Amino acid sequence: MTDRPVRTRIAPSPTGMMHIGTARVALFNWLYARHTGGQFLLRIEDTDRERSTEAAVQVIFDGMRWLGLEPDEPPVFQFARADRHRAAVEEMLARGSAYRDYMTPEELEAERETARAEGRVIRSPWRDAAPNDAPDRPFVVRLKAPLEGETIVDDKVKGAIRFENRTLDDLILLRTDGSPTYNLAVVVDDHEMGITHVIRGDDHLNNAARQTLIYQGLGWEVPAWAHLPMINGPDGKKLSKRHGSQAVSEFDDMGYLPEAMRNYLAKLGWGHGDDEIFSDAQAIAWFDIVDVVSAPARLDWDKLNHLNNHYIRLAEPKRLADLVAKILKSRDVKLHPGDEALIERTIPFVRDGAKTTLELADAVLFALKTRPLELPEKTRGQLAEAELSERFARLRAALANVADWGVPALEEALRRFAEAEGVGLGKFGPQLRAVLSGGSPAPDLAGAMTALGRDESLGRIDDALSKGS
Ligand code: GLU
């Protein structure tokens, strides 16, 4: 390899969803490009006209944007480059590394049977025919691959994989209708995009041997190969819908943060010692393709949840509040003016236990309730008793005296109040919590009151007192 500046790419086919296997391939390509100061590109392999859709192209763009893995150049669309693919084949014909094959379908079938009986791959008689023997009938163009020796795919993850050339048939490059085939298009595009490292799933390992022969037929430099192991489900079996073969966008819908996904996906097949949690900057500094392990990786939801919780605890409350507001709107929760600020204030008190932003949305609901709150029956009954309602009236007065409304002052006020009353917090804390939250899950008392603010907290207590009396 010469030391050309590193250029990597992903080349998804827009034929459906973008699942996490593609996301991981994208991440590894992005990390490697960033690690080496190179560039990361995107090619849409839309040559399958029946199955490629614009919606699926959009899914790829959205998925990449959400993951924060945007390419450094505008995307390349493969179908639009068919003329370039054909031009490369002309060059191969001129170089003698490809030939026109005029076998009829019947002849091909007969050759296929003979080849099978003789335990070899098919060989066209046109391989060595003189050019002016050409009949006037449809033809395909085939690669004139070497008959002997071996083709070595020197893979950065798998090591050197050897293919005996006699087992590789002369690959079709152009079909009878002149349309380019998959392996040809990949090679021409990768070459012209200046791709130095092809990092992709190991289901393409066999293609790498074929593609190597095309590079050689064109006299082009073969890129470095790195074929990543599969991602299996938690049970070690092939990913299934139930076990995470979800679309990337579904992880967004399930309440995962993109930075958690990046950290998590990076750990699927690569790692840095025992480090579980690392920033993008650390991953970029540490990542090297040769450290990817060749064994299949396993999806582990517990680990993903753990990481997501970590990043939820680190994220800016404003950003989380926007996400939570979006989730609540999608659940038809009506938000009033000021609610987004309230959500933002509440988040620091509830996020420690949240594994996803969906859980975070559940956890802020107590704060969004509008007065008067519906109280649990048990609390209503307790407040109807004189002892507790009188204590609540004194508690309200004590709280109203708190000058610097915030966790430290409120904790102090609650502690002093319990002392003054000569009772433990257990004698009024659970009821206060129910009064503040209407029985929904809520953080501890000082946190809940800080999130709600002074007026709303005292107001909720007032409502409870007037109901209880
Ligand atoms: N289009 C291929 C796929 O979606 C990727 C080809 C490649 O990376 O070379 O699997």
Side-chain angles (χ1 to χ4, degrees):
M1 285 295 300
T2 52
D3 34 337
R4 290 185 283 163
V6 166
R7 281 165 71 88
T8 65
R9 58 35 168 205
I10 61 160
S13 308
T15 51
M17 63 182 194
M18 174 176 177
H19 68 84
I20 61 163
T22 309
R24 187 193 48 160
V25 170
L27 177 70
F28 283 23
N29 275 283
W30 179 83
L31 283 174
Y32 191 63
R34 290 288 171 274
H35 175 74
T36 52
Q39 280 169 320
F40 166 61
L41 311 184
L42 168 64
R43 180 171 68 240
I44 302 289
E45 300 210 319
D46 54 352
T47 49
D48 183 340
R49 301 314 284 167
E50 307 233 305
R51 294 176 59 223
S52 299
T53 65
E54 258 181 56
V57 172
Q58 198 54 47
V59 164
I60 294 165
F61 291 164
D62 292 347
M64 304 276 286
R65 186 171 316 118
W66 180 71
L67 280 166
L69 304 177
E70 294 204 63
D72 295 315
E73 290 176 9
V76 169
F77 289 84
Q78 188 160 63
F79 180 68
R81 294 180 35 82
D83 284 347
R84 296 295 315 144
H85 307 147
R86 279 189 283 269
V89 171
E90 284 306 317
E91 206 176 312
M92 290 171 84
L93 286 166
R95 293 171 63 100
S97 56
Y99 62 94
R100 295 189 176 86
D101 176 8
Y102 295 91
M103 270 196 288
T104 62
E106 298 74 35
E107 286 168 347
L108 176 60
E109 196 41 48
E111 164 62 8
R112 187 168 284 138
E113 268 173 32
T114 319
R116 194 178 302 132
E118 292 176 4
R120 59 170 176 83
V121 298
I122 64 159
R123 295 291 174 200
S124 166
W126 294 96
R127 200 182 137 99
D128 298 309
N132 42 8
D133 287 347
D136 184 18
R137 62 172 191 241
F139 61 87
V140 296
V141 180
R142 288 184 188 270
L143 173 74
K144 193 166 180 180
L147 299 175
E148 285 159 9
E150 49 182 22
T151 295
I152 300 173
V153 173
D154 192 5
D155 193 84
K156 301 246 178 243
V157 177
K158 309 260 168 186
I161 313 280
R162 313 176 100 84
F163 296 83
E164 283 190 63
N165 288 337
R166 62 180 178 78
T167 65
L168 302 173
D169 60 2
D170 286 346
L171 195 68
I172 295 180
L173 303 171
L174 292 183
R175 302 184 187 92
T176 45
D177 65 359
S179 63
T181 56
Y182 169 72
N183 280 301
L184 170 74
V186 170
V187 167
V188 174
D189 291 348
D190 280 341
H191 175 74
E192 295 189 357
M193 289 166 74
I195 301 304
T196 56
H197 293 72
V198 171
I199 304 169
R200 60 187 174 192
D202 65 6
D203 47 334
H204 287 285
L205 198 52
N206 285 334
N207 285 333
R210 306 258 187 207
Q211 292 169 9
T212 297
L213 292 172
I214 300 175
Y215 278 102
Q216 289 167 348
L218 280 156
W220 290 344
E221 187 175 347
V222 182
W225 307 110
H227 287 89
L228 308 178
M230 308 291 284
I231 304 175
N232 287 337
D235 52 2
K237 295 193 185 129
K238 204 170 175 299
L239 273 190
S240 62
K241 177 81 190 160
R242 195 164 64 84
H243 278 154
S245 78
Q246 278 99 343
V248 169
S249 60
E250 289 179 64
F251 285 85
D252 184 10
D253 296 343
M254 287 186 285
Y256 293 96
L257 296 178
E259 61 269 40
M261 286 306 288
R262 287 197 296 276
N263 190 155
Y264 178 70
L265 291 173
K267 291 278 299 172
L268 287 180
W270 174 80
H272 182 261
D274 289 334
D275 292 307
E276 288 292 336
I277 292 176
F278 39 77
S279 64
D280 289 332
Q282 287 171 314
I284 288 168
W286 296 334
F287 187 83
D288 197 339
I289 201 73
V290 293
D291 296 329
V292 173
V293 297
S294 59
R298 264 187 206 216
L299 200 70
D300 182 334
W301 288 96
D302 289 341
K303 273 196 185 153
L304 175 57
N305 286 334
H306 175 73
L307 281 170
N308 206 45
N309 170 259
H310 171 82
Y311 287 102
I312 285 176
R313 284 187 285 127
L314 282 187
E316 283 297 324
K318 170 79 178 91
R319 174 180 163 218
L320 293 174
D322 289 345
L323 292 170
V324 162
K326 215 173 90 190
I327 293 164
L328 294 175
K329 280 178 198 156
S330 77
R331 292 183 189 166
D332 290 327
V333 174
K334 190 162 162 33
L335 295 184
H336 305 91
D339 276 356
E340 295 213 12
L342 176 59
I343 294 172
E344 190 180 335
R345 279 206 312 277
T346 307
I347 279 172
F349 301 105
V350 295
R351 63 167 144 191
D352 282 4
K355 293 190 290 293
T356 64
T357 51
L358 302 187
E359 292 184 6
L360 198 57
D362 294 336
V364 302
L365 279 177
F366 84 95
L368 297 173
K369 293 186 173 176
T370 45
R371 292 178 50 200
L373 273 53
E374 178 108 17
L375 297 187
E377 204 167 309
K378 183 170 165 209
T379 313
R380 280 207 311 267
Q382 289 169 326
L383 284 169
E385 286 165 23
E387 189 186 350
L388 192 68
S389 77
E390 282 160 21
R391 178 165 291 141
F392 258 66
R394 293 192 295 278
L395 174 60
R396 196 237 181 256
L399 291 172
N401 272 334
V402 171
D404 190 9
W405 196 267
V407 170
L410 287 165
E411 274 178 352
E412 178 65 10
L414 289 168
R415 200 183 55 74
R416 284 198 188 182
F417 179 74
E419 225 173 71
E421 296 280 308
V423 296
L425 198 68
K427 284 281 183 233
F428 62 93
Q431 293 80 2
L432 178 57
R433 198 181 159 93
V435 162
L436 293 169
S437 70
S440 295
D444 63 38
L445 296 171
M449 288 192 284
T450 304
L452 290 171
R454 177 193 197 94
D455 292 350
E456 180 71 20
S457 302
L458 296 178
R460 289 186 182 191
I461 297 171
D462 288 339
D463 293 341
L465 281 172
S466 59
K467 266 192 210 151
S469 57

